[in-house]
C-alpha cells in the first residue's frame, strides 16, 4: 500500500466515525511528515492534525473540524456502510 493509500484509508476511518482518536490522527500526522513534508497536502492538513484535541475548544480542532479538513484535503466522503 502506498503512503497515499494508507493516508486515505486512515482518513476514511476517521470520517466514517469508526475511530476519532488522537492516536489515529497521530498516525495520519506521521504519514504526512514522513512522506509529504513540503507538499501542498502537508500544508493543508498540518494545522488540523497538530491542533486536534476533541472537546478542548478554541484554538483546537474538534472532531467535526478534523473531519472537514480531511474531506477537503483528500477529497473523501463518508462511506455508506
Amino acid at each position: 500500500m502506498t503512503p497515499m493509500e494508507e493516508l486515505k484509508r486512515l482518513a476514511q476511518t476517521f470520517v466514517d466515525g469508526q475511530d476519532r482518536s488522537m492516536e489515529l490522527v497521530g498516525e495520519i500526522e506521521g504519514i504526512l511528515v514522513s512522506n509529504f513534508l513540503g507538499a501542498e497536502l502537508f500544508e493543508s492538513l498540518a494545522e488540523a492534525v497538530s491542533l486536534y484535541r476533541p472537546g478542548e475548544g478554541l484554538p483546537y480542532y474538534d472532531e467535526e473540524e478534523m473531519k472537514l479538513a480531511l474531506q477537503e484535503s483528500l477529497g473523501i466522503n463518508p462511506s455508506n456502510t
Side-chain angles (χ1 to χ4, degrees):
M1 186 176 291
T2 68
M4 180 58 82
E5 290 170 335
E6 179 65 6
L7 183 62
K8 285 187 173 188
R9 184 187 71 78
L10 293 171
Q12 190 71 60
T13 298
F14 187 97
V15 168
D16 289 345
Q18 297 169 354
D19 184 350
R20 299 258 171 106
S21 68
M22 290 185 60
E23 289 80 12
L24 178 75
V25 174
E27 288 182 56
I28 291 170
E29 185 175 28
I31 292 170
L32 287 170
V33 170
S34 296
N35 299 281
F36 300 99
L37 194 63
E40 186 176 323
L41 179 61
F42 178 84
E43 297 302 322
S44 70
L45 284 173
E47 182 177 317
V49 297
S50 66
L51 291 176
Y52 179 64
R53 301 289 185 284
E56 292 295 319
L58 291 176
Y60 299 106
Y61 279 59
D62 64 16
E63 290 181 9
E64 191 60 30
E65 291 167 318
M66 187 70 220
K67 175 183 169 185
L68 291 173
L70 291 170
Q71 288 179 291
E72 290 172 4
S73 296
L74 295 168
I76 57 175
N77 293 303
S79 298
N80 293 327
T81 56

